[in-house]
Amino acid sequence: MTVHASKSTPHFGLRSIALPFGADAQTVLLPASAEVVGPTDSLGRCTEGHSTADSGQETLRAVEAGLAVLDSDGSLSRSRRIAICVTDGTRPTPVELMLSVLLRNLVRRCPAQAELTCVMATGLHRPTGLDRLVTGVAEAGLTGRVNVVAHDAHADDLVEVGTTHIGTPVLINAAVARADVILCVGVITAHPEAGYSGGAKCVVPGVAGAKTITALHDQALQPLELRGELRGNPFRAFLEEAAGLLGRVHVLNAVLHPCGQVARAELGPAVPAHRRASAWFASRYGVALPPSPDVLILGAGGAPSDSSLYLAEGKAWRTGLDLISPGTVLVLVAACRLGVGGADFLAALTGADCSEHAARKARFLRTLIAGVRASYLVHSGIPREVVATLPVTADTVGAQEAVDLALKASPGRRVVALPNPNFVVWTAQPGRTQ
C-alpha cells in the first residue's frame, strides 16, 4: 500500500478529509486537488472494517509459533523468573489483547512456580496506562499469579548488566535484569530517532536507568528525521547493543491498522523479529516523499500520539522537516489535551533549566515552525504562555479556520495533508523543490 486516498465528498471544487484530533476527528474542506498522504483513520476510528476477533487470531498465530521456537531448547519450561516488558499509555499498543493472549499461552509452557512480572516500560515518562496491564492480566485469568509494576528509571535497585563498546554503563530494572527470559510487548510505528518503534526499545529506554537513557538520547544530536532508517542509525544501534547485554530478549511486536487493530504480529528474538515486522510496516505504509508543498497540513494521528505537545512533536510532526521549504505555509494539528507533556519539556520551551533531550526536542519543533513562510497551530490544551514561546503565526481550536488562513497566506495552491504521520514512512526521495 502506498498513498492512501481519503474518502472525501466533492463540494463545489472542494474535498473533505478527517484530521484525527484526540479521540475523535475534525473534518475540513480542502481544494479538490489536495493530495492526502497516508491514512485518515486513527485509534478507535475505522473505515475499513477491521475487527478485534481478527486481531486476536493474528496475535495468537504469532504467539503460538514464537513461544514454540523459544521453548524448543527448554528455555521456558525451566525458567524460574520471566519478565514481560509492556509499552506504557503513550503508545498505541492494544495492551489488553496482546498481553492476555501472550500470558495465557506462556503459563502453559513455564513451571507453575515460575515468578511472572509485567513491567510497564515507562522510560523517563510519568507512569500512565498501568491499569491496562492489570486488565490484560485479568483477561488472561491470572490476577494474583502475575505481578504488575511500573518501571522507575531512578530506582535504587537498578542492576548494571554491563557496558556498551563506548563505555556506557547499562542499568536495567531489577525484575528484568534477574529474569531467565525477557519478553517485550509493543507495536511498530515510524519513529524519528529509532527508525521504527518496537523491538529492544521496550528494554532500552523502556526499563533502563536514567543515566543509560540519557546516553541513548545523546545518539540523536541533530534535527534529523530518521524514521524508517535502521542501517547506520546510531540511536537504534545503541539501544540494541545495550539491550543485547541481557542476552535473552524476545519481542511480540504488532503492526497495526491505523484504527488500532492488529494487522500483523511477530514473536521472536528481539532484532530479527523487529526487522521482519518493520519490513512488513514499510511494505504496507511506504510512500514516496512528495515535493515540498505550498500548504502542508500535518496531523499527529489522534490520541495517544497527540495527547501532548511533547508527543506530537516526536511521534508525528518531525515528519514535516522532510517536507517543508521556506515558502511552505504550515498547519499543525494536535489536541494536546494534556498540555505540554511534562515539566522538563515545559522548561525547555520557556528557557528554564532542562535536560539536553528536552532542549533538543524544543529545537526540533522551533526548527520546523521557523523554517516556513507562516504557521498555524490547532490545539485545545496548550497554555497561552507556552504558545507565546513558539514562532507560530496564530493558533486556534478549529482546523478549518487554520486551513482557511493557510490558504489565504500561500501564493501557491499545491496542498498536501498528512493526517496520521505515524503510519507513513518514506520509501523514495525524488528531486525536491527547495
Side-chain angles (χ1 to χ4, degrees):
M1 183 168 64
T2 54
V3 175
H4 301 240
S6 71
K7 295 183 178 179
S8 57
T9 303
H11 182 74
F12 301 108
L14 301 175
R15 64 182 301 189
S16 66
I17 69 163
L19 297 173
F21 194 77
D24 203 346
Q26 292 198 37
T27 300
V28 297
L29 293 175
L30 302 177
S33 60
E35 179 182 359
V36 181
V37 178
T40 61
D41 281 355
S42 57
L43 291 189
R45 297 175 50 253
C46 187
T47 61
E48 298 179 342
H50 304 299
S51 70
T52 301
D54 291 339
S55 293
Q57 290 175 1
E58 173 59 19
T59 303
L60 179 60
R61 178 202 61 76
V63 166
E64 288 181 337
L67 291 184
V69 174
L70 173 57
D71 199 31
S72 61
D73 63 353
S75 293
L76 288 176
S77 57
R78 64 172 179 263
S79 294
R80 294 178 300 166
R81 300 186 185 93
I82 299 174
I84 304 99
C85 306
V86 186
T87 55
D88 67 8
T90 64
R91 271 58 178 172
T93 309
V95 168
E96 297 90 341
L97 183 148
M98 293 179 68
L99 183 57
S100 61
V101 171
L102 176 61
L103 287 173
R104 278 195 295 268
N105 287 270
L106 185 62
V107 296
R108 295 172 187 158
R109 292 181 174 274
C110 68
Q113 68 273 21
E115 180 181 314
L116 303 177
T117 303
C118 287
V119 182
M120 186 170 71
T122 58
L124 290 175
H125 300 160
R126 293 175 295 178
T128 177
L130 193 65
D131 57 319
R132 300 187 64 192
L133 275 69
V134 172
T135 300
V137 170
E139 290 183 359
L142 295 171
T143 300
R145 172 77 172 85
V146 179
N147 301 315
V148 179
V149 299
H151 172 61
D152 178 2
H154 302 280
D156 294 331
D157 63 345
L158 297 171
V159 177
E160 184 174 330
V161 298
T163 59
T164 67
H165 77 281
I166 59 174
T168 303
V170 178
L171 302 171
I172 298 293
N173 179 284
V176 178
R178 294 169 182 153
D180 301 309
V181 172
I182 301 165
L183 291 157
C184 300
V185 178
V187 294
I188 301 294
T189 59
H191 192 281
E193 293 162 347
Y196 294 94
S197 63
K201 193 172 180 295
C202 211
V203 175
V204 179
V207 295
K211 291 182 179 179
T212 304
I213 296 172
T214 298
L216 170 65
H217 288 154
D218 287 342
Q219 306 304 307
L221 296 176
Q222 299 297 324
L224 301 176
E225 238 290 317
L226 291 175
R227 68 183 59 224
E229 298 290 338
L230 294 172
R231 295 180 182 177
N233 184 323
F235 191 93
R236 171 59 61 176
F238 180 99
L239 73 87
E240 289 182 343
E241 179 190 2
L245 294 171
L246 291 163
R248 52 199 181 278
V249 180
H250 282 61
V251 300
L252 172 59
N253 280 168
V255 177
L256 303 180
H257 297 293
C259 63
Q261 299 293 350
V262 175
R264 177 75 177 181
E266 294 281 352
L267 193 157
V271 175
H274 178 259
R275 296 301 189 270
R276 290 195 300 271
S278 297
W280 203 92
F281 183 99
S283 70
R284 180 171 175 81
Y285 298 115
V287 179
L289 180 66
S292 295
D294 300 308
V295 175
L296 174 62
I297 302 164
L298 199 55
S305 297
D306 80 340
S307 298
S308 68
L309 187 60
Y310 177 95
L311 290 173
E313 183 279 325
K315 303 298 178 193
W317 288 349
R318 210 176 301 177
T319 313
L321 293 172
D322 290 327
L323 290 164
I324 61 170
S325 72
T328 300
V329 177
L330 178 65
V331 177
L332 297 171
V333 182
C336 298
R337 66 177 182 82
L338 299 179
V340 174
D344 193 29
F345 193 44
L346 176 61
L349 292 171
T350 56
D353 290 338
C354 64
S355 70
E356 178 56 27
H357 175 60
R360 282 196 296 271
K361 286 180 68 68
R363 286 199 298 272
F364 294 163
L365 182 57
R366 289 198 172 99
T367 297
L368 174 65
I369 297 172
V372 297
R373 179 187 185 95
S375 58
Y376 301 91
L377 175 62
V378 182
H379 69 97
S380 62
I382 306 173
R384 299 300 309 169
E385 59 271 21
V386 175
V387 175
T389 70
L390 301 173
V392 295
T393 307
D395 71 309
T396 177
V397 298
Q400 187 66 62
E401 179 184 0
V403 167
D404 291 344
L405 289 170
L407 291 171
K408 290 179 181 178
S410 174
R413 305 304 293 174
R414 186 170 184 275
V415 178
V416 170
L418 276 79
N420 194 344
N422 302 293
F423 290 89
V424 171
V425 64
W426 308 128
T427 57
Q429 299 191 17
R432 303 298 306 280
T433 56
Q434 295 286 349

